[in-house]
Amino acid sequence: AARGVDTLALERELRVHVRTDPLRLAAHVDPSRVLLFLGARDTLVPTDCGLRLRDALGGPETYVLSGDHDTACLSFGFILRRVDAFLGL
């Protein structure tokens, strides 16, 4: 929005041009380079979909956080610590 891009128009264009599912690309990803966070009660990205993605990725380091997609922010401190450790910071 700050650059004058209409977010709804951008979303429409992305839906037209980006036609894939992360599951289809998972076989091409090194699981040691993935840190996955899922919400236990997520309805935007359902937890079972995230777990299927985890399995398709080959079982990367995964954390299932209590709450949903929006309340994951309550775990932000934990997430940052895990990310720092994952990146070796």
Side-chain angles (χ1 to χ4, degrees):
R3 293 185 173 180
V5 175
D6 179 287
T7 55
L8 292 175
L10 177 61
E11 181 181 350
R12 280 192 303 273
E13 286 297 312
L14 288 172
R15 289 185 186 278
V16 167
H17 297 290
V18 178
R19 295 186 178 267
T20 191
D21 182 321
L23 286 173
R24 296 179 68 188
L25 302 173
H28 306 287
V29 176
D30 177 355
S32 71
R33 298 179 54 98
V34 175
L35 178 61
L36 186 60
F37 293 93
L38 306 172
R41 292 178 189 83
D42 200 332
T43 55
L44 186 59
V45 179
T47 309
D48 63 320
C49 292
L51 293 172
R52 284 197 307 273
L53 178 60
R54 179 202 59 196
D55 293 343
L57 286 166
E61 185 174 346
T62 303
Y63 295 91
V64 180
L65 307 171
S66 63
D68 60 26
H69 201 84
D70 297 321
T71 60
C73 65
L74 299 174
S75 301
F76 199 57
F78 171 78
I79 293 168
L80 288 178
R81 286 190 301 278
R82 297 290 14 113
V83 168
D84 283 351
F86 184 78
L87 296 174
L89 302 175

